[in-house]
Amino acid sequence: MREKFSQLKSVAFGKLKTPNTTDNYIVALDIGTDNVKAVIVKQVDSTLEVVGAGRAHQGLQDMQAGAISDIQAVVANCDEALDIAEKSAGVTAKQVVVGIAGELIKGITNSVKVSRENPEKELDVKEVDELARRVQSEAYRQAKEELSIELSTSDIELKLINSAVVEINIDGHKVTNPLGFQGKIIELQMYTAYAPLVHIGAIERTAAQLDLELLAVAAEPFAVARSVIGNNPDASDNVILIDVGGGTTDIAVLRDGGLEGTRMFGIGGRVFTKSIARDLGVDFIEAEKLKIGLSTGEVHQAQKQKVEAAIEKTANIWIQGVSLALAEFDWLDYLPHTILLCGGGSSLAVLRTKLTDKEWQKDLPFSKIVEPKFIQPEDIKDMRDKTGEIKDHTMITVMGLARVGADTRASTTSRKSKLSKLLEN
């Protein structure tokens, strides 16, 4: 679809060059509630180079709470963002990784411990895979049970979208790659994420209509975590990652470089806009202008107080959502005090103010007073922007998705490499 569209515009205007197609590139799509963001990356040794970037605005009815609600409209928006990225890069990429978010995405961390009959036998891929499948099976059961309660139905199909090793212990000894080790007691702790099949199907259909090969679907908080960790096998990051999008807030907790879990809830930038629209009696478009104007200082003084009051009410609910989400990590002795923010919704200054408020922190096991700050593009490990277009925290998620795409491609060609730290489903 995109190639034909590009060719048509070349003919019409006589100036646009049809990009070259190559298999050496990956495209990442962050299909957000407010915007579609696309980047094209090239693998250069152990580093990813962003060679193209683009974005396009979504209509009000195109997405609902982070999930696609109008496939044809979303395809058109993705097409626009990809067209911009391709012209920037001068190439097209055929393989795509797409992010998925929303309250129905269940990221669960659990573990399995087994006693081996033959401790002298070296661990191989087959045995470790079997352990992983046992963890994934239990996570599937838990995810389905949670969604059955939330949706009041047991008739729901789920699909595994991401798995990541959090920790592996052999006879009490922590290892990063279990292959080749001997031992009696093996304990594997993994993060797994499941999504409803209806959401995955919508993404698959979108990729097909864009004439792209779907390399991977990734839970977006998982992707943000991958962007922070990079390729370092000894990563020891202890942080809370909060991605505030247009429709949802996604949270991931990293401890000692391992992903402890993810949580999502349905408050994003649009909820703040709707609060302004309701309290000031204006339409959504005008309310969005007022919200943005508050950050840029372009709101008239007469309206500023009312806009701030509307946002404050929603921010109070938002911080309660953050608190409840983090309270679910009750197996952790402490929570990291560093909070890294990304996503367009996190641009609201009131959110950083709420995060520094000691009141919401008092019932949670933080090691120190919370320190929130933005993730900047230069903070992303093993990735360089060659376009000059990625300037702030709003593009972090799509960069993380590109990293997941590179992981997936590498894992299909080198199954034994550290288990890729990402296990295939």
Side-chain angles (χ1 to χ4, degrees):
M1 175 178 174
R2 287 181 300 104
E3 292 176 348
K4 291 179 181 177
F5 185 59
S6 297
Q7 289 166 4
L8 282 172
K9 289 200 288 185
S10 279
V11 172
F13 296 102
K15 294 180 180 180
L16 301 178
K17 180 181 177 182
T18 302
N20 298 317
T21 302
T22 175
D23 294 331
N24 297 325
Y25 297 81
I26 297 172
V27 60
L29 276 177
D30 174 8
I31 304 177
T33 302
D34 284 333
N35 294 282
V36 173
K37 298 166 189 172
V39 297
I40 297 174
V41 297
K42 178 182 180 181
Q43 183 90 42
V44 181
D45 297 324
S46 61
T47 300
L48 292 178
E49 290 186 349
V50 179
V51 296
R55 69 170 73 200
H57 187 66
Q58 299 257 54
L60 288 178
Q61 304 303 319
D62 298 347
M63 303 282 290
Q64 294 296 325
I68 296 173
S69 57
D70 185 334
I71 293 176
Q72 297 306 315
V74 168
V75 167
N77 300 333
C78 290
D79 193 46
E80 181 181 346
L82 286 165
D83 194 51
I84 296 168
E86 289 168 353
K87 287 182 174 59
S88 171
V91 298
T92 62
K94 297 301 293 181
Q95 291 186 316
V96 65
V97 56
V98 181
I100 188 169
E103 292 180 281
L104 299 183
I105 312 304
K106 297 300 177 184
I108 297 168
T109 299
N110 51 21
S111 62
V112 63
K113 181 186 288 188
V114 299
S115 177
R116 302 176 75 213
E117 291 183 4
N118 183 4
E120 294 185 359
K121 180 186 175 184
E122 293 183 356
L123 280 160
D124 57 21
V125 171
K126 182 179 179 181
E127 188 172 358
V128 177
D129 272 353
E130 178 57 33
L131 289 174
R133 305 253 184 263
R134 288 179 58 179
V135 177
Q136 291 166 354
S137 178
E138 174 59 18
Y140 179 90
R141 185 195 64 78
Q142 292 181 31
K144 190 159 186 176
E145 184 176 285
E146 287 183 24
L147 284 172
S148 295
I149 294 171
E150 292 174 17
L151 300 175
S152 301
T153 178
S154 59
D155 189 21
I156 183 169
E157 290 299 320
L158 302 179
K159 185 173 182 178
L160 177 68
I161 52 175
N162 298 117
S163 287
V165 174
V166 175
E167 189 170 293
I168 305 174
N169 288 285
I170 302 176
D171 291 341
H173 173 63
K174 183 177 178 180
V175 300
T176 56
N177 180 1
L179 301 180
F181 278 90
Q182 299 170 309
K184 178 70 175 175
I185 306 299
I186 312 297
E187 184 172 12
L188 173 64
Q189 185 179 33
M190 289 180 62
Y191 163 82
T192 52
Y194 284 90
L197 193 59
V198 61
H199 294 339
I200 302 297
I203 289 174
E204 291 173 342
R205 181 63 177 165
T206 298
Q209 291 199 22
L210 290 167
D211 195 27
L212 293 171
E213 175 191 343
L214 188 58
L215 185 63
V217 176
E220 294 197 344
F222 175 81
V224 174
R226 281 298 294 118
S227 73
V228 170
I229 294 170
N231 293 324
N232 182 10
D234 301 314
S236 57
D237 305 70
N238 289 281
V239 296
I240 295 171
L241 305 169
I242 301 182
D243 180 359
V244 187
T248 64
T249 292
D250 306 335
I251 296 174
V253 176
L254 284 176
R255 188 177 65 165
D256 297 328
L259 181 58
E260 290 288 345
T262 58
R263 297 291 184 273
M264 308 182 193
F265 61 93
I267 299 179
R270 281 194 178 178
V271 176
F272 290 91
T273 304
K274 288 176 181 177
S275 295
I276 296 170
R278 181 180 61 250
D279 288 8
L280 274 71
V282 297
D283 63 23
F284 185 90
I285 295 174
E286 179 62 24
E288 183 71 11
K289 290 179 182 177
L290 290 171
K291 184 181 74 174
I292 295 171
L294 192 63
S295 299
T296 60
E298 297 175 2
V299 175
H300 293 300
Q301 196 63 35
Q303 291 179 306
K304 183 179 179 182
Q305 207 167 19
K306 292 180 179 179
V307 174
E308 288 176 336
I311 287 178
E312 177 74 14
K313 287 191 295 186
T314 303
N316 287 333
I317 300 171
W318 178 83
I319 196 64
Q320 290 176 28
V322 172
S323 179
L324 289 171
L326 292 175
E328 293 184 16
F329 292 86
D330 53 6
W331 64 91
L332 298 179
D333 296 331
Y334 70 91
L335 287 169
H337 65 279
T338 300
I339 293 182
L340 302 181
L341 294 161
C342 64
S346 66
S347 301
L348 283 170
V350 67
L351 302 190
R352 298 191 298 284
T353 301
K354 290 296 178 184
L355 287 169
T356 56
D357 189 339
K358 295 179 182 179
E359 184 64 25
W360 78 276
Q361 303 175 37
K362 66 182 183 181
D363 295 325
L364 293 170
F366 284 107
S367 55
K368 295 180 182 177
I369 299 299
V370 163
E371 298 176 5
K373 57 183 179 180
F374 289 125
I375 308 175
Q376 298 297 342
E378 55 268 24
D379 297 329
I380 302 305
K381 306 273 197 321
D382 309 307
M383 192 175 294
R384 294 193 300 263
D385 173 34
K386 307 293 284 186
T387 69
E389 296 297 321
I390 300 179
K391 302 180 186 299
D392 58 27
H393 57 281
T394 64
M395 294 289 283
I396 300 302
T397 303
V398 72
M399 293 174 75
L401 290 168
R403 167 58 60 195
V404 173
D407 287 340
T408 305
R409 178 182 277 182
S411 69
T412 59
T413 57
S414 180
R415 185 68 179 88
K416 295 184 180 180
S417 176
K418 284 179 52 191
L419 246 59
S420 305
K421 212 172 184 183
L422 290 168
L423 302 181
E424 290 298 301
N425 27 323

